[in-house]
Amino acid sequence: MEYEEILHRCFRCGYCKFPGNSVDLNCPSYLKYRFESFSPGGRMWLLRAMLDKKVESTKRFQEIMFSCATCRNCVEQCAFPKFKDLLVHAFTAGKEVLVNQGKVPKPIRDCLTKLQSHGNPYGISPTKRDNWAKDLDIELFSDQEYLLYIGDVGSYDSRGQEIAQSVASLLKNRGVSFGILGQEEVSDGNEAKAMGETELFKYLAEKNINQFQRLDVTKIITLSPHGFNAMKNDYPLLGGQFDVFHYTQLLGAFIKDATFDTTGKSVQITYHDPCYLGRHNAEYWSARMVLGSLPDVEFVEMDRNLQNTLCCGGGGGNLYSDLLGGGTDAPARTRVREARAIGVQVLAVACPGCAVMLEDALKAEKLEDLMQVKEISEIVREKLVA
């Protein structure tokens, strides 16, 4: 297994389970299950035991490995700088071993099968990928400045479609030159890689790269931080060199000359950092700068923010497998309780996957009448006059 040489070096100090101030549990799977085996240190030892043939890859073992949300909290908190950056890579390599053995939880297997067969984890026909854009009069990409890449959640999930419509409408309103791929868009592959299916990731990535190069795409705006991460960090290793932006990184420039309604009621807003935007790519400030530029917005930070943010639990394929979704200790439910505890009316997000996870959690916590989950462009558009 790749990275197996580092597995024995973890002596389970436990820092990986906490945020920087060590006052909360911050590993999503450990927070939910409360067994040491579900912590990063526990996974390291279990992987070593599997390679030494001291434990078998049972159903429980598989659930432990695939419940890793690839959030990188362990990377931020690990006390050993020489191998901390390899932790998530080691867990993904462990998943890859299980995938190659055909020993994966059924929800993971179903997700990967749908990705392989339909090009998306929902198993929905590619002919419906552009349904979100039908009434928006958005052009297909030809020679525009930017390709707007929507991704799977924005294309197929009902909440994700609302976010795709909002971002695209805002870009159109601001006169941004962009086009979409429509039915020709292909999954970015980030979740396939995070679930250990590296060959499927390579297939999807190369398919995208070939299409982008054929269309002379040079600049890409992504809706999802997951697609942003794959195209920015993984595609160049396969020959795909593009200027890749998450939409929040450009939003400040696009709205700098906008006119906003200043007669509205003041609202308190906090922001949830997406793991694949924050800890994976150190992009913490663009969304905050946009929120801070809006009138009648009082921005309030949660205790766990920036590199110490609590993951919503949707990464690593968990949005589709739901290994971390249920129960009062689910990370998404813990996160919305944290937001409500500081008294805000709006929990802002910049990831369609986070929006899905946190809105479901809001309903489970019965907090819909007290707080809303809104995506950044939705907040901007509500205040935009011209």
Side-chain angles (χ1 to χ4, degrees):
M1 186 191 94
E2 195 175 6
Y3 304 108
E4 66 179 271
E5 71 278 0
I6 74 166
L7 299 179
H8 73 283
R9 300 179 68 181
C10 172
F11 60 88
R12 294 188 294 177
C13 64
Y15 290 124
C16 54
K17 295 181 291 193
F18 303 102
N21 59 14
S22 299
V23 299
D24 297 292
L25 297 177
N26 223 43
C27 169
S29 55
Y30 185 79
L31 173 64
K32 176 176 171 59
Y33 291 101
R34 304 299 176 98
F35 284 102
E36 194 65 27
S37 51
F38 281 88
S39 72
R43 282 195 189 89
M44 297 283 276
W45 280 41
L46 283 173
L47 284 172
R48 180 74 267 167
M50 179 189 74
L51 295 174
D52 292 341
K53 302 188 184 307
K54 293 179 179 179
V55 299
E56 296 181 0
S57 50
T58 61
K59 181 180 178 181
R60 181 69 164 178
F61 183 94
Q62 295 163 29
E63 289 176 349
I64 291 169
M65 293 304 155
F66 284 93
S67 66
C68 172
T70 61
C71 73
R72 282 180 64 95
N73 181 73
C74 56
V75 174
E76 288 290 340
Q77 311 306 335
C78 179
F80 298 96
K82 288 189 177 180
F83 74 91
K84 61 184 294 183
D85 286 338
L86 303 178
L87 287 174
V88 174
H89 294 300
F91 300 147
T92 303
K95 295 177 187 178
E96 183 179 9
V97 170
L98 295 175
V99 166
N100 292 338
Q101 293 175 350
K103 296 179 178 180
V104 299
K106 184 178 183 301
I108 298 293
R109 183 175 69 248
D110 291 346
C111 178
L112 291 173
T113 299
K114 290 172 183 176
L115 259 174
Q116 180 74 60
S117 302
H118 300 278
N120 67 81
Y122 295 93
I124 300 175
S125 169
T127 61
K128 297 183 178 180
R129 187 176 271 276
D130 62 346
N131 280 2
W132 67 272
K134 280 192 173 178
D135 299 323
L136 298 183
D137 191 28
I138 297 176
E139 297 179 350
L140 293 178
F141 183 85
S142 54
D143 59 353
Q144 296 93 333
E145 182 176 3
Y146 296 99
L147 167 67
L148 176 61
Y149 180 87
I150 299 301
D152 295 327
V153 183
S155 296
Y156 293 111
D157 182 271
S158 58
R159 183 66 181 104
Q161 289 173 333
E162 292 175 351
I163 293 173
Q165 291 165 354
S166 179
V167 171
S169 296
L170 182 57
L171 295 180
K172 191 174 179 181
N173 173 277
R174 304 314 302 161
V176 179
S177 172
F178 74 95
I180 61 174
L181 295 175
Q183 296 178 13
E184 299 303 313
E185 189 179 276
V186 177
S187 175
D188 55 69
N190 189 81
E191 302 313 284
K193 182 179 180 182
M195 287 185 280
E197 183 44 286
T198 53
E199 288 303 313
L200 178 56
F201 163 74
K202 185 178 179 182
Y203 167 77
L204 293 169
E206 290 180 340
K207 196 168 183 178
N208 274 317
I209 290 168
N210 291 336
Q211 181 173 212
F212 297 166
Q213 292 175 340
R214 176 175 57 81
L215 292 171
D216 291 326
V217 171
T218 58
K219 298 179 181 179
I220 302 171
I221 300 174
T222 71
L223 185 70
S224 170
H226 297 238
F228 169 73
N229 177 73
M231 293 177 187
K232 179 176 182 288
N233 298 316
D234 296 320
Y235 282 24
L237 302 177
L238 298 171
Q241 298 283 349
F242 311 100
D243 293 327
V244 186
F245 308 92
H246 185 257
Y247 73 93
T248 56
Q249 294 179 307
L250 300 174
L251 209 51
F254 292 157
I255 65 172
K256 66 180 180 179
D257 297 323
T259 301
F260 294 103
D261 181 6
T262 59
T263 63
K265 183 179 179 182
S266 179
V267 60
Q268 289 185 316
I269 297 179
T270 193
Y271 174 62
H272 169 78
D273 289 277
C275 298
Y276 273 92
L277 200 56
R279 281 187 288 253
H280 279 264
N281 287 284
E283 174 52 85
Y284 297 107
W285 299 109
S286 293
R288 286 177 169 82
M289 290 175 66
V290 170
L291 291 172
S293 70
L294 300 178
D296 302 314
V297 167
E298 181 184 348
F299 183 73
V300 185
E301 290 280 13
M302 287 180 278
D303 179 61
R304 284 180 282 191
N305 59 69
L306 304 172
Q307 69 270 21
N308 294 311
T309 290
L310 173 63
C311 171
C312 74
N318 282 285
L319 174 64
Y320 311 106
S321 68
D322 204 31
L323 292 178
L324 294 176
T328 57
D329 287 330
R333 292 183 64 173
T334 303
R335 190 61 166 162
V336 298
R337 290 197 299 268
E338 182 178 5
R340 183 55 201 157
I342 60 173
V344 298
Q345 292 85 49
V346 175
L347 173 56
V349 297
C351 170
C354 291
V356 172
M357 295 291 292
L358 294 171
E359 285 197 350
D360 286 348
L362 199 70
K363 295 173 185 176
E365 290 291 316
K366 303 186 186 309
L367 292 173
E368 308 105 297
D369 294 335
L370 299 173
M371 187 173 68
Q372 292 178 287
V373 174
K374 292 184 180 181
E375 175 270 327
I376 298 290
S377 77
E378 293 174 330
I379 298 171
V380 172
R381 290 178 68 219
E382 285 178 358
K383 295 184 172 295
L384 188 66
V385 174

